[in-house]
Amino acid sequence: MKGIEMKTKNLVHLELRDLILLGIIIAMKVILAQFSFGPAMVKVGLGFIGSVMLGYIFGPIWGSVGGGISDLVSSAIFGNQGGFFIGFTLTAMVGPLIYGLFFYNKEVKIWRIIAATILVTVIVNIGMNTLWLHLLYGVDFKVALIQRLPKETIIPWIQMVITYFVLQAISRVKMYK
Amino acid sequence: MSKILIGRYIPGDSLIYKMDPRGKLLATIFFILIIFLANNWITYGILIIFSLAAVYATKLRPKVFWDGIKPLIWLIFFTSLLQLFFTSGGTTYWKWSIFTISSYGITNAIYIFIRFTLIILISTVMTLTTMPLEIANAMEWLLTPLKYLRVPVDKIALVMSIALRFVPTLFDETVKIMNAQRSRGADFNDGGLIKRAKAIAPLLVPLFIESLETAVELSTAMEARGYRGSEGRSRYRILRWSKYDLICLGYFVILVGLLLVFRTR
């Protein structure tokens, strides 16, 4: 198991082994995204854990590629709930990109988790996804925001707690370092 | 955690099944694009007729389409309702502090409702009549132009097919690990926030270790079978265009023509 090396110099080139691992982690993200937990009012989907893992293990570049592929794969298997739209694929790419910038090859720190989660929430969930709703369905931007804000002010905090435990757990698996 | 359905494909043999997955994928994307052309009752009516015709052409029971919309129906309804209350313009019928019901708001809300439903309906036609592997192949084909931007499309295709292949396997594995942890007292659906967040780790770590092992084994197996990178390889699964794709294209030409004629400028 030793020798799977993912140093910064390998940011662009990936070995076959790592490509396969990327594929499997994407599969994991697709499965996790099907699960959610919490009371009915604020269901927290677990897909973000997949994004965190992609960013943490593969870095911003391959992480975001993986995020994009995960969107394609989940639409192929489960059907894309919002319809096939390139915007949602872009959204799926930006999450792991941000997580990658904050977590890849870095020590797990609480401020990093807080900053990354807030950035993802603001840019991806509030910004981009609202924009797509506006563009795709013609929903008023303000209306789409009103609909999303309550959920997006609660969920990030839950995500931070989960991200912390996930990163703690994953970083203990040192095999790929 | 409830059961999930892997793949939504329903076997059948109507015309839509005979189309090339690339044709279906392009048609779906194109439909979502031309929905922007609709801006009055007639054009929305035309789109509704066209999508119902597509639904009918699949020869599947209407219930399977309803199942596709059902999980989202409240979201669609809620969004339309918000749109109704927060849009003003035209004749105002009712007003209370920031909420208004106006003629403009009503039509807008209905348009949004129709748009949501049609987009979901057409996407559902696509996923119900095409196998996931075929959709993935079609997506791969659609990514080919990115080669000119030096994007490693072959690698992306490899990663995509591996992910696709491992979703069911990994899902079984997840259930197995959960049951194993449960049998020794783990509880995935109870306790406070921190407790639940912690409960995810005993699930993810074995899954992750399992993934690492699979990656090593599979890469060894692939290299043993002569895999030396994605370039210079032949293809076993080949997609073929059919005459039904041409017919579909013809319908789209008519549809776009009608929309352009009847839309208000």
Side-chain angles (χ1 to χ4, degrees):
Chain A
M1 297 304 287
K2 282 172 198 162
I4 302 181
E5 290 186 354
M6 264 176 248
K7 303 244 169 69
T8 322
K9 64 176 181 189
N10 288 343
L11 213 57
V12 183
H13 179 76
L14 274 195
E15 295 286 321
L16 176 62
R17 214 165 13 190
D18 303 335
L19 279 178
I20 293 172
L21 185 63
L22 178 62
I24 299 175
I25 300 288
I26 291 167
M28 211 192 276
K29 174 170 157 59
V30 171
I31 293 167
L32 284 171
Q34 298 300 312
F35 291 124
S36 57
F37 83 113
M41 282 295 285
V42 273
K43 277 250 177 269
V44 186
L46 296 186
F48 80 95
I49 296 179
S51 302
V52 169
M53 289 175 77
L54 283 174
Y56 180 68
I57 302 168
F58 297 100
I61 295 174
W62 279 100
S64 65
V65 170
I69 299 175
S70 81
D71 179 73
L72 299 182
V73 168
S74 87
S75 355
I77 298 182
F78 299 108
N80 201 329
Q81 289 212 314
F84 287 96
F85 183 62
I86 182 88
F88 295 118
T89 313
L90 285 180
T91 304
M93 291 177 79
V94 177
L97 174 81
I98 295 172
Y99 287 128
L101 289 174
F102 276 90
F103 301 147
Y104 184 57
N105 276 340
K106 293 195 175 89
E107 217 180 306
V108 180
K109 287 269 166 58
I110 290 181
W111 74 264
R112 286 211 179 98
I113 295 174
I114 295 175
T117 310
I118 289 178
L119 266 182
V120 170
T121 307
V122 172
I123 297 177
V124 176
N125 298 340
I126 297 179
M128 291 174 80
N129 276 342
T130 311
L131 181 68
W132 307 140
L133 278 180
H134 171 64
L135 287 179
L136 189 56
Y137 299 113
V139 182
D140 203 59
F141 201 89
K142 190 180 67 186
V143 170
L145 263 185
I146 294 170
Q147 189 187 356
R148 284 172 159 273
L149 271 183
K151 202 180 161 199
E152 297 301 341
T153 44
I154 303 169
I155 287 181
W157 311 103
I158 305 174
Q159 288 183 339
M160 286 173 201
V161 177
I162 299 177
T163 306
Y164 177 77
F165 285 117
V166 167
L167 287 183
Q168 284 287 321
I170 297 286
S171 63
R172 251 181 276 138
V173 187
K174 291 275 184 186
M175 282 190 276
Y176 62 93
K177 275 275 154 84
Chain B
M1 290 179 184
S2 56
K3 59 175 189 273
I4 58 168
L5 216 68
I6 302 282
R8 302 176 63 210
Y9 174 72
I10 301 174
D13 60 351
S14 57
L15 296 183
I16 292 199
Y17 285 90
K18 297 190 177 102
M19 277 177 71
D20 189 297
R22 291 171 292 180
K24 279 186 262 191
L25 184 63
L26 283 180
T28 312
I29 293 168
F30 196 53
F31 183 85
I32 291 168
L33 284 179
I34 60 172
I35 221 166
F36 293 107
L37 286 175
N39 59 1
N40 58 22
W41 293 111
I42 305 171
T43 41
Y44 272 107
I46 294 168
L47 281 176
I48 291 174
I49 293 168
F50 181 86
S51 9
L52 287 181
V55 168
Y56 178 74
T58 61
K59 297 262 170 69
L60 291 170
R61 286 174 301 127
K63 194 185 169 293
V64 292
F65 290 97
W66 169 240
D67 287 342
I69 299 177
K70 207 165 55 184
L72 292 165
I73 197 82
W74 285 110
L75 181 77
I76 303 172
F77 203 70
F78 186 60
T79 312
S80 309
L81 217 62
L82 278 177
Q83 183 76 24
L84 171 69
F85 283 124
F86 286 98
T87 329
S88 51
T91 333
T92 308
Y93 298 115
W94 179 79
K95 195 168 169 58
W96 180 73
S97 74
I98 50 168
F99 302 104
T100 44
I101 293 184
S102 62
S103 57
Y104 186 71
I106 292 173
T107 43
N108 226 325
I110 295 174
Y111 284 164
I112 285 171
F113 189 85
I114 296 175
R115 257 199 206 195
F116 258 105
T117 319
L118 291 188
I119 290 177
I120 293 168
L121 215 55
I122 289 294
S123 306
T124 313
V125 168
M126 160 98 197
T127 42
L128 287 181
T129 61
T130 324
M131 279 186 281
L133 191 67
E134 288 188 321
I135 300 182
N137 286 347
M139 284 169 170
E140 186 197 331
W141 173 80
L142 211 63
L143 290 176
T144 329
L146 290 177
K147 263 183 191 158
Y148 297 104
L149 297 171
R150 311 242 280 146
V151 176
V153 177
D154 302 313
K155 281 183 181 168
I156 289 176
L158 174 75
V159 172
M160 200 152 92
S161 54
I162 286 169
L164 206 61
R165 162 67 185 77
F166 275 96
V167 166
T169 315
L170 221 54
F171 179 69
D172 290 346
E173 206 56 49
T174 313
V175 174
K176 228 185 279 173
I177 293 169
M178 276 171 95
N179 286 338
Q181 308 274 25
R182 270 205 197 102
S183 73
R184 297 191 64 234
D187 193 348
F188 294 103
N189 296 314
D190 207 40
L193 175 64
I194 306 271
K195 191 163 173 272
R196 284 197 198 194
K198 274 184 171 167
I200 292 171
L203 183 67
L204 273 180
V205 170
L207 211 56
F208 183 54
I209 292 174
E210 183 90 31
S211 308
L212 280 164
E213 280 170 359
T214 316
V216 171
E217 281 166 14
L218 184 59
S219 63
T220 312
M222 280 176 72
E223 274 160 0
R225 285 170 163 262
Y227 182 89
R228 296 277 178 278
S230 314
E231 294 89 30
R233 302 178 67 84
S234 61
R235 283 175 166 276
Y236 177 63
R237 279 175 223 281
I238 297 168
L239 299 172
R240 283 201 175 80
W241 293 104
S242 76
K243 63 177 179 200
Y244 300 103
D245 296 298
L246 219 60
I247 296 171
C248 178
L249 187 71
Y251 278 124
F252 264 102
V253 171
I254 297 169
L255 181 64
V256 171
L258 284 174
L259 288 180
L260 286 176
V261 170
F262 286 108
R263 79 191 293 258
T264 32
R265 263 162 269 273

